[in-house]
Amino acid sequence: QAQLVESGGGLVQAGGSLRLSCAASGRTFSSYAMGWFRQAPGKEREFVAAISFNGNTIFYTDSVKGRFTISRDNAKNTMYLQMNSLKPEDTAVYYCAVYTTINNWYRDHTVPAKYGVWGQGTQVTVSS
């Protein structure tokens, strides 16, 4: 059974940094695009960043550009999200996911329903 496990979340002060990891097990996702999403209390799940299967194409939501960096190591079956200059509004549960829909990733990479495998989430709390 394919599984994604996030780690690296925690409590940090504003301006601090965290590095999230998303480790895959049960199968390899090296040929799939992947993404990070987040969900704050009372809000819908929102797109944060996405990366193509080979890492050559990356997308970010505007609010994290210049602060977050997505990357992947296919040899380790792991994806990362380096988060710098964190703000209180970054507080949320962060999820990693695998884009399992055939085609249209360039158009639909921000759509949660297009991702078919999800991790359980890791809490990120940024205090002011």
Side-chain angles (χ1 to χ4, degrees):
Q1 183 74 12
Q3 187 177 12
L4 300 176
V5 177
E6 300 97 337
S7 62
L11 173 64
V12 63
Q13 289 187 333
S17 298
L18 286 173
R19 188 193 195 203
L20 305 184
S21 297
C22 172
S25 63
R27 64 163 296 172
T28 178
F29 292 112
S30 58
S31 60
Y32 291 82
M34 298 181 68
W36 286 97
F37 291 77
R38 64 188 180 187
Q39 188 165 18
K43 295 187 176 181
E44 293 188 352
R45 191 167 298 188
E46 67 170 355
F47 168 76
V48 176
I51 187 167
S52 62
F53 74 98
N54 57 7
N56 287 346
T57 301
I58 288 173
F59 297 103
Y60 296 101
T61 191
D62 286 345
S63 63
V64 308
K65 285 181 181 177
R67 301 188 298 122
F68 290 12
T69 302
I70 188 173
S71 63
R72 67 190 297 167
D73 185 340
N74 286 339
K76 295 182 178 179
N77 224 13
T78 302
M79 179 177 65
Y80 305 95
L81 186 67
Q82 177 67 44
M83 305 186 296
N84 299 328
S85 302
L86 282 161
K87 304 175 180 180
E89 51 263 44
D90 295 318
T91 295
V93 177
Y94 283 70
Y95 299 90
C96 63
V98 179
Y99 188 90
T100 54
T101 305
I102 296 176
N103 298 325
N104 294 322
W105 178 71
Y106 286 86
R107 183 189 71 186
D108 294 337
H109 58 273
T110 64
V111 180
K114 300 295 185 178
Y115 291 75
V117 182
W118 290 83
Q120 83 289 348
T122 185
Q123 176 70 46
V124 172
T125 303
V126 184
S127 62
S128 58

